[in-house]
Amino acid sequence: MIISLWFKIIIVNNLIKDFLDLAKMDNGNLKNVYESIDLSKQVEKSVLTLESLMFEKNIKLEYDIDKNVYFNCNSDEIKQLIAILLDNAIKHSSKDGNIIANLKKNNDKIVIQIINKGEGIPKGEEEKIFERFYRVDEARNRDSNHYGLGLSIAKSIVNNHNGEIKVSSKDSLTTFKVIFK
């Protein structure tokens, strides 16, 4: 009983934090402290942090991260962005699926790709998944404490860094691609 109540309190606290983050981003009230970070190390650290969760779900992990990719950004927001995209990939990967995380520097662009094999996104729904509270399958998500805010927050973070986020889904492969200039 106490554990169940504690778990519900954590969920509500996280939901409130997500709402506050989105409100701050919408109103431009975030204090953006930008610093140059080694994005290569941050992406690798995030991937490795979630590796055990992927292992538990029997999801194969592959990653290809260019070394010494530096980016002037709000490091907390970028950590959150990567965590949201990886968490999303884990949630929507099929059993015995796989996730690929890539970070590439191409001329003046930094490209992050998170690819997972599993549930695809229905045609025509690709842009909708970035809307607040939008969930492709309401019934499946109702009992899993998903509120449809993560990808909306991810898009706001990318926008705050003058980047672009795209999603494509074909043949059970879903690819999130973030481009920073």
Side-chain angles (χ1 to χ4, degrees), residues 157-171:
I157 291 169
V158 172
N159 289 343
N160 283 348
H161 288 83
N162 298 315
E164 180 181 4
I165 186 168
K166 300 176 184 179
V167 64
S168 62
S169 190
K170 185 176 181 182
D171 299 327

Side-chain angles (χ1 to χ4, degrees), residues 105-134:
K105 172 107 178 181
N106 299 324
N107 299 324
D108 63 338
K109 294 181 183 174
I110 296 171
V111 179
I112 300 170
Q113 278 189 313
I114 306 295
I115 304 163
N116 73 291
K117 183 171 181 151
E119 301 170 31
I121 300 169
K123 192 125 184 105
E125 303 287 309
E126 293 91 346
E127 286 304 312
K128 291 179 183 177
I129 64 170
F130 294 108
E131 295 174 7
R132 290 178 195 168
F133 307 113
Y134 183 79

Side-chain angles (χ1 to χ4, degrees), residues 30 57 60 62-63 80 83 88 100 102-103 122 139 151 175:
L30 279 179
K57 295 185 174 227
K60 182 180 171 188
E62 299 173 41
Y63 57 95
Q80 185 178 16
N88 188 70
I100 302 167
N102 297 322
L103 171 67
L151 292 174
T175 302

Side-chain angles (χ1 to χ4, degrees), residues 12 28-29 40 43 52 55 66 78 87-89 104 109 136 151 156 162 169 179:
V12 170
N29 291 339
S40 304
V43 171
S52 63
F55 180 78
D66 284 356
I78 296 301
D87 182 59
N88 188 70
K104 297 291 173 193
K109 294 181 183 174
V136 173
L151 292 174
S156 292
N162 298 315
S169 190
I179 303 168

Side-chain angles (χ1 to χ4, degrees), residues 46-64:
S46 296
V47 167
L48 294 176
T49 299
L50 293 172
E51 187 175 32
S52 63
L53 182 57
M54 292 179 215
F55 180 78
E56 285 177 16
K57 295 185 174 227
N58 208 25
I59 297 171
K60 182 180 171 188
L61 169 66
E62 299 173 41
Y63 57 95
D64 185 9

Side-chain angles (χ1 to χ4, degrees), residues 22 39-40 42 56 82-84 115 140:
L22 278 170
L39 189 57
S40 304
Q42 183 55 57
E56 285 177 16
I82 298 164
I84 289 168
I115 304 163
R140 186 182 55 84

